[in-house]
Amino acid sequence: MTVLQIVALAAVALGGGAVALTSDPLRQTLVLGIFGLTLVFLFFAFQAPDVALSEIVVGTIGLPLIVVATLRKIAEQERTRPSDEDAE
Amino acid sequence: MVPHVTALPVVVPFITAAVLVILRPLSRRWVNDAVSIAGVTTVIVLCAILLERSARRPFAYWMGGFKPVHDVTIGISLSLDPLGAGLALFSAVLVLASLAYSAHYFDAVDGLFHALMLLFGAAMVGFSLTGDLFNLIVFFELMGAAAYALTGYLIEERAPIQGAINFAITNSIAGYAMFIGVALLYARTGALNMAQIGLALDRHGADPLVVVAMVLLFIGFLTKAAAVPVHFWLADAHAVAPVPVCVLFSGVMIELGVYAVARLYWVIFAGPMHPHMAALRAILVAVGVVTALLGALMCFQQRHIKRLLAFSSIAHIGVFICGIGLLSARALAGVAVYVVGQGLTKGALFMTTGVLLHRFKTVDEYELHGRGREIPVVGVLLAIGGLMLAALPPFTLFAGKSLLEDSAASAGYGWLIVVFVIASVATGAAILRVTGRVFLGCGPADAPGAGQARAARVTEEEMQDRPDHTPPMMVVVPVLLLVLTVAVALIPGAVPAVEEAAARFTDHAAYARWVLAGQAVHWPAVAPSHISAADVLYSAGSVLGAVVLAAFGLFGRPLRRRVPAAIGVPWLRALHTLRDLHSGHIGDYIAWWTAGTSLLGAICLLTLA
Amino acid sequence: MSFLPYAVAAWLFGVGLWGVVSSRHMVRTIISLAVVQSATYVLLLAIGYRSGGQAPIAADIPPVAKLVDPTVQVLVLTDVVIEATVSALLLALVIQAHKRFGSVDPSDLRPLRD
Amino acid sequence: MSRRARLTLFAIAGPGLAAVLIIGFRGLPAFGDYHDVYGLVVNGVELSMRHATDYVTALNFDVRAFDTLGEEYILFASVLGVTLLLRVMRGEDEEYRAAEHGMSGSSDAVRLAALLLIPSLIALGVYLVIHGALTPGGGFQGGIVLAAAPAAILIAGRYLELKVLCPTRAIEAAEGIGALGYCLLGLGGLIFASVYFKNFLPAGNPGQLLSAGFMPLNSIAVGLEVMGAFLIVWTAFLDQALLVRRRTGEAT
């Protein structure tokens, strides 16, 4: 096992923990992006360029875009109707 | 030799769905109905052809022509035996039934509903036919993706959204556990084809790695099947999905989870687990018994009719898991027959409930009190369905249950018969009670539990207008399903053919031969079982029990008051606790999932490795 | 040391589940789900890795060289697609949940309460 | 269950599950000790039979093409699902003013950068899609990059222009054609080589663009589908975030 792989694994372990233990969703999205990059690093270290490329496109564009859009939508709805939560 | 059309039952619905989506801007409702029904009908014909061929001789179809060389394969196969092909056919029939039913049921969003139903059908067919472990999981995930979206179809409502979220998260985690199971088996055997994995494991025997892989794969499929304690998602999802989708969920999707457990056991794990068969049997039967009893208990508690049906499915799943867990060909045959009968009946019952929903905008038993008198035909259907669930002789559910009871007795698990009878009594009684209250106006019209009543009402635009007119299709389709329930087991030779198929399914060594080497295998003829007087007695008893219990549910309130507090209070408290556990909170569900998985893992590691 | 990748996989699975169980915000639940899934990537790729092996591409190297297993990489590719699709479906459901319930706390998403 | 009960249950069960996993993982070969047949067989088959040089893509689009079919339709199904779930409901409007308002604030320099980004993303995406069988990449990765090209307009703060440039119906049709195309390529195998997903095109010379049989075509079909899929999903979410508003003064 190379040093590079050990470093990558440690980074992924820390990153995964950080993502799961962050409780504020917006900050978590940011940490998720960083975690995605550590995974990319790991995939290169494991000689898996195809997978790394997939993770780059999904982890840096594909997912964050919709997560941010969701959070934005939720924030907008909280703004426009803070009171009538029980409306049906 | 091998039919050229083998891949098409999966591909035809894919193509049909894509065409529907491409033409979405142009197409009309009737075009969507016609195209999707035509697609599914084609699938049914193809599955019937494959069933006939595989009953004569099971065969493997190698995608891309990557056939195995010296038992080593890199390709994906569809491995067709009559049980798998039969299940594919059954799935397709139910898809057709629900498409026909929904044609006049609700305003489907232009083509999306049809396309998703087709993809759902394709996934179920592929799941039943594939011989490759990873491919099995791909179809599992496809089934999931279509099912989550269909569950949340009624976005105007609260409950469907919550049900779909819980369904999707629980099943996704189950899927990841299965990924790990596949990874472990691949590391051990270097194979993804189930037959090849089984062959490789025969040489290794059981060790902790194999046991953990088995636990993860089983728990994954048991989550799909909704075994206790990983069943929580089911009641949330089944109670809220549109009726035509519920037909597929309860009728065949969860049963596919049980099928996968059986398939994995007999093809992959039967070799290494052979010395531990007794222990594994005890474990699976225990899971099944807990599931069956909890399902039966919760089912009879419900006043929301769809939720009631959902819990009755859990009770039946428990019975099926017991049957698979007996690890014998005859019990498997019993499960197969029971699955068909249960699926058809449950489909008809959901459709009947759909008529009530369509007409009265609620599925709350008490709110519907006596209102069913204007549509007596529907009441008759509901009553017949209830009697079927109580295993009325000599129809399909009875035939399946008799096989199960015989094999339980001969495996030394005679007490299981009590569990089977309880499941039949409770699920049958619940339906009969609903029939009595809604269509005959029996019993009181009010009861505690206003929250459930609110949840059972609909405000959505699920239905088309004109609720006072029930479209004929909505009655014709459930009638046809019930006719099939009555007929299937009475067709001469049908049940013995299933027994024959189950004997082939459970032949671990032969499976590897016909899949990997393409050899013809000659099985000895299976002596068909006979229905004994005891079977009829048990079933007559369970029908009678169901009627009595239903009457108790309707008229028993004065009796219940006489129960001494020393018994009554703890019992009610226990029921309350049980109901509270089904909280709808996804965190709870996943905590239970984790607990169930680690418990199963610990027990299996201690007893099987 | 050679057990490290497997330990990391088990850790990710467990910590992701913790995130799901302890979440008070559905978006956090879904992101934690992605962590659970990443356990499967790490495990699969670790299983197919050979010491000193090269990426399974023949263009750059003589074809006889030692390569890592391409199969697990294909499985992980499928896995990544599943992650993206399930997350998209779930986030769409969360948007609707917020419209209906006015909240994204799992404790508030309980329509069948008595 | 109360939050406390839930966390306590998990505090007991979680370590238990981890222990079960670890016990299972201990049976794995040591990291780096892979020596199984499957991968080696694939490596041999693909170069000699198909003249593909990226074995991962080769597995994806040839040996395990049927898995990829399932995978494509998982994507397809969830796009249908997202479209279904995020449809505009009664009591909601698409407010086009809201979008420009919400996205303003980009400087001219950012807009220029976005404009320059678009052609390079397209070039990269096309390269990834058609060179799938030769170098890392393939329909899936290239498809997302292609989808990102029009999405770069977002950086310029012009969401509505993205909507004009990529009308939903057309994108949906493109996605459907990609999915259909992949199915039909499999069917081509059935028709011309009598087995579903059997290669029916010549192998060509290793390393050349038009080598590896039908793999480049498969890759293109998948690329089209993935591009359409991601564009639909992104616009569905962005519509919700930027355009769709509850009609004022009306309950749900």
Side-chain angles (χ1 to χ4, degrees):
Chain A
M1 185 184 274
T2 63
V3 176
L4 194 68
Q5 287 164 344
I6 294 173
V7 172
L9 281 167
V12 166
L14 285 176
V19 175
L21 301 178
T22 309
S23 52
D24 172 50
L26 200 61
R27 194 174 310 148
Q28 202 186 18
T29 314
L30 191 72
V31 183
L32 178 72
I34 298 167
F35 176 56
L37 288 178
T38 62
L39 277 176
V40 171
F41 179 42
L42 180 76
F43 295 161
F44 275 118
F46 279 3
Q47 300 291 337
D50 281 273
V51 183
L53 207 54
S54 282
E55 180 61 34
I56 292 175
V57 289
V58 170
T60 62
I61 326 170
L63 263 187
L65 199 59
I66 54 177
V67 174
V68 170
T70 306
L71 288 173
R72 195 186 158 111
K73 175 74 177 173
I74 290 172
E76 179 264 319
Q77 284 178 342
E78 300 267 314
R79 252 200 327 276
T80 52
R81 45 156 193 178
S83 56
D84 57 346
E85 286 213 346
D86 290 316
E88 254 190 273
Chain B
M1 194 55 233
V2 169
H4 288 304
V5 298
T6 310
L8 295 186
V10 182
V11 176
V12 166
F14 279 170
I15 292 177
T16 320
V19 169
L20 280 180
V21 170
I22 295 170
L23 298 180
R24 205 155 79 87
L26 311 173
S27 67
R28 297 279 165 274
R29 173 65 197 260
W30 68 268
V31 178
N32 289 332
D33 283 334
V35 170
S36 52
I37 285 176
V40 178
T41 312
T42 316
V43 175
I44 291 178
V45 172
L46 290 166
C47 285
I49 294 171
L50 295 178
L51 175 61
E52 192 270 338
R53 290 295 283 269
S54 63
R56 271 191 286 149
R57 179 182 164 176
F59 60 90
Y61 180 84
W62 295 93
M63 290 293 163
F66 290 93
K67 288 189 177 171
V69 181
H70 304 301
D71 288 350
V72 172
T73 170
I74 57 171
I76 295 175
S77 73
L78 297 181
S79 306
L80 280 87
D81 64 351
L83 223 52
L87 197 55
L89 176 63
F90 180 60
S91 317
V93 168
L94 278 187
V95 174
L96 178 66
S98 27
L99 278 174
Y101 178 83
S102 52
H104 295 283
Y105 177 58
F106 59 179
D107 297 317
V109 177
D110 46 350
L112 291 176
F113 173 78
H114 298 85
L116 279 168
M117 289 288 271
L118 284 166
L119 295 181
F120 192 36
M124 294 194 290
V125 169
F127 191 86
S128 314
L129 300 183
T130 188
D132 187 279
L133 184 56
F134 189 73
N135 198 235
L136 189 73
I137 290 179
V138 168
F139 281 119
F140 173 94
E141 296 283 353
L142 176 58
M143 210 190 300
Y148 312 148
L150 286 169
T151 307
Y153 184 90
L154 308 169
I155 53 170
E156 311 260 324
E157 298 267 313
R158 286 182 159 202
I161 301 298
Q162 182 254 3
I165 289 177
N166 289 355
F167 181 17
I169 291 179
T170 315
N171 274 263
S172 298
I173 289 179
Y176 307 149
M178 293 196 296
F179 260 95
I180 293 187
V182 173
L184 289 175
L185 289 180
Y186 179 74
R188 170 56 54 85
T189 63
L192 291 171
N193 189 280
M194 291 195 269
Q196 198 188 333
I197 297 174
L199 211 56
L201 289 186
D202 285 350
R203 292 191 287 268
H204 281 281
D207 67 358
L209 180 139
V210 175
V211 171
V212 170
M214 184 179 83
V215 166
L216 293 172
L217 286 165
F218 278 11
I219 201 77
F221 288 119
L222 287 177
T223 308
K224 190 71 154 186
V228 175
V230 290
H231 68 287
F232 289 100
W233 64 270
L234 182 138
D236 289 353
H238 286 217
V240 298
V243 166
V245 180
C246 287
V247 171
L248 297 181
F249 282 6
S250 267
V252 61
M253 180 186 77
I254 56 176
E255 285 76 5
L256 285 174
V258 180
Y259 159 82
V261 171
R263 176 69 84 193
L264 291 185
Y265 174 75
W266 290 109
V267 173
I268 295 181
F269 298 110
M273 284 299 141
H274 194 260
H276 311 287
M277 247 172 110
L280 184 63
R281 185 180 290 146
I283 292 169
L284 286 175
V285 167
V287 173
V289 167
V290 174
T291 308
L293 294 181
L294 183 120
L297 196 60
M298 291 295 292
C299 168
F300 198 70
Q301 300 279 312
Q302 307 299 319
R303 50 184 284 178
H304 179 304
I305 303 175
K306 279 167 86 181
R307 206 165 158 83
L308 181 151
L309 287 170
F311 278 108
S312 95
S313 297
I314 294 182
H316 289 117
I317 282 293
V319 173
F320 300 154
I321 295 171
C322 290
I324 301 291
L326 289 170
L327 305 179
S328 75
R330 192 135 58 104
L332 180 68
V335 171
V337 175
Y338 209 146
V339 162
V340 172
Q342 195 269 156
L344 293 169
T345 311
K346 201 58 69 62
L349 288 173
F350 266 114
M351 289 176 177
T352 317
T353 312
V355 176
L356 295 175
L357 193 61
H358 181 264
R359 205 174 178 98
F360 305 116
K361 304 290 176 211
T362 176
V363 287
D364 182 72
E365 185 184 338
Y366 288 92
E367 290 203 343
L368 287 167
H369 182 268
R371 290 167 75 185
R373 287 200 188 95
E374 14 176 316
I375 36 174
V377 184
V378 178
V380 173
L381 291 181
L382 208 58
I384 294 176
L387 291 174
M388 290 293 165
L389 288 190
L392 182 71
F395 305 116
T396 309
L397 284 108
F398 164 76
K401 191 160 155 278
S402 321
L403 281 172
L404 271 181
E405 286 166 352
D406 287 356
S407 35
S410 56
Y413 279 86
W415 55 270
L416 266 184
I417 295 172
V418 179
V419 177
F420 297 159
V421 169
I422 290 176
S424 301
V425 167
T427 53
I431 298 296
L432 291 176
R433 187 195 69 203
V434 170
T435 317
R437 191 164 343 252
V438 175
F439 292 91
L440 302 174
C442 302
D446 61 312
Q452 278 206 22
R454 195 160 51 87
R457 243 172 272 143
V458 286
T459 51
E460 86 270 14
E461 24 163 30
E462 171 176 358
M463 318 312 161
Q464 292 173 339
D465 291 337
R466 294 173 48 204
D468 50 323
H469 164 82
T470 304
M473 254 334 217
M474 287 178 63
V475 180
V476 171
V477 179
V479 166
L480 287 178
L481 290 184
L482 284 176
V483 167
L484 276 179
T485 319
V486 168
V488 167
L490 299 181
I491 300 170
V495 176
V498 175
E499 286 189 74
E500 195 95 25
R504 293 170 185 198
F505 188 98
T506 53
D507 193 335
H508 174 68
Y511 184 88
R513 282 214 304 285
W514 65 258
V515 170
L516 293 177
Q519 290 171 358
V521 182
H522 295 288
W523 283 276
V526 179
S529 316
H530 294 287
I531 289 164
S532 66
D535 296 329
V536 180
L537 203 66
Y538 294 140
S539 287
S542 65
V543 172
L544 195 67
V547 173
V548 171
L549 186 60
F552 177 74
L554 289 171
F555 307 112
R557 211 176 273 176
L559 270 179
R560 251 177 279 168
R561 288 209 194 95
R562 296 212 195 134
V563 176
I567 306 171
V569 172
W571 169 248
L572 284 180
R573 195 167 294 158
L575 283 182
H576 246 306
T577 315
L578 204 57
R579 257 215 307 265
D580 282 350
L581 286 182
H582 296 78
S583 60
H585 191 296
I586 184 63
D588 288 356
Y589 293 4
I590 301 307
W592 282 111
W593 188 90
T594 314
T597 309
S598 50
L599 189 66
L600 186 69
I603 293 174
C604 287
L605 281 171
L606 290 175
T607 55
L608 303 179
Chain C
M1 199 41 117
S2 74
F3 194 71
L4 182 66
Y6 307 139
V8 169
W11 157 253
L12 289 174
F13 202 91
V15 82
L17 282 182
W18 168 262
V20 174
V21 170
S22 67
S23 165
R24 290 167 192 270
H25 192 294
M26 284 313 298
V27 173
R28 180 177 170 215
T29 309
I30 292 159
I31 291 177
S32 301
L33 211 56
V35 177
V36 180
Q37 189 157 27
S38 62
T40 63
Y41 310 157
V42 174
L43 180 68
L44 276 166
L45 289 180
I47 283 171
Y49 184 75
R50 306 168 84 193
S51 297
Q54 308 223 18
I57 295 158
D60 312 335
I61 43 169
V64 285
K66 200 172 168 188
L67 302 179
V68 302
D69 180 31
T71 315
V72 290
Q73 301 194 5
V74 173
L75 307 190
V76 177
L77 280 180
T78 306
D79 214 358
V80 172
V81 178
I82 291 171
E83 180 199 349
T85 57
V86 170
S87 305
L89 272 176
L90 275 167
L91 288 169
L93 284 165
V94 167
I95 287 184
Q96 293 300 348
H98 191 263
K99 286 183 193 168
R100 298 278 78 78
F101 292 88
S103 165
V104 282
D105 184 338
S107 309
D108 296 332
L109 309 188
R110 299 186 187 190
L112 283 174
R113 295 301 280 180
D114 294 332
Chain D
M1 276 200 290
S2 68
R3 180 174 168 81
R4 190 168 192 183
R6 173 165 64 247
L7 296 184
T8 313
L9 177 63
F10 187 82
I12 300 163
L17 179 62
V20 169
L21 289 179
I22 295 285
I23 292 170
F25 292 172
R26 288 184 70 84
L28 289 170
F31 178 71
D33 263 6
Y34 175 85
H35 44 70
D36 264 317
V37 279
Y38 194 125
L40 306 182
V41 173
V42 172
N43 290 357
V45 167
E46 280 303 327
L47 189 61
S48 58
M49 281 172 54
R50 297 278 188 275
H51 299 176
T53 53
D54 180 344
Y55 300 127
V56 175
T57 315
L59 267 172
N60 236 337
F61 292 131
D62 192 7
V63 181
R64 300 194 70 87
F66 194 61
D67 270 351
T68 308
L69 179 68
E71 180 192 317
E72 287 324 302
Y73 274 88
I74 293 175
L75 188 60
F76 193 71
S78 55
V79 170
L80 294 179
V82 168
T83 314
L84 189 70
L85 295 172
L86 294 182
R87 63 184 185 259
V88 177
M89 294 185 298
R90 282 181 309 181
E92 283 182 343
D93 278 329
E94 293 204 342
E95 273 181 28
Y96 287 90
R97 257 176 332 128
E100 296 305 326
H101 179 71
M103 295 298 292
S104 63
S106 308
S107 68
D108 287 342
V110 173
R111 284 190 195 139
L112 186 68
L115 231 54
L116 289 174
L117 196 58
I118 293 168
S120 40
L121 281 174
I122 292 175
L124 177 63
V126 169
Y127 177 86
L128 286 175
V129 169
I130 61 178
H131 283 79
L134 309 173
T135 55
F140 181 71
Q141 296 93 334
I144 301 184
V145 173
L146 281 176
I153 297 173
L154 267 182
I155 302 175
R158 296 299 175 96
Y159 181 58
L160 290 179
E161 278 153 31
L162 169 62
K163 299 269 290 177
V164 174
L165 203 69
C166 308
T168 312
R169 296 283 172 164
I171 296 294
E172 205 169 80
E175 190 218 4
I177 289 168
L180 183 68
Y182 193 63
C183 264
L184 293 181
L185 281 164
L187 216 52
L190 184 60
I191 292 165
F192 299 112
S194 80
V195 181
Y196 197 75
F197 268 127
K198 194 174 169 87
N199 179 42
F200 56 96
L201 292 174
N205 294 321
Q208 281 185 3
L209 187 57
L210 289 178
S211 63
F214 68 169
M215 272 183 245
L217 292 179
N218 286 349
S219 185
I220 289 169
V222 169
L224 193 61
E225 202 234 311
V226 172
M227 179 189 79
F230 272 83
L231 270 178
I232 295 171
V233 169
W234 286 339
T235 47
F237 274 90
L238 291 169
D239 279 356
Q240 286 289 329
L242 303 176
L243 301 184
V244 176
R245 294 290 179 270
R246 265 163 46 116
R247 212 169 288 154
T248 39
E250 192 180 322
T252 311

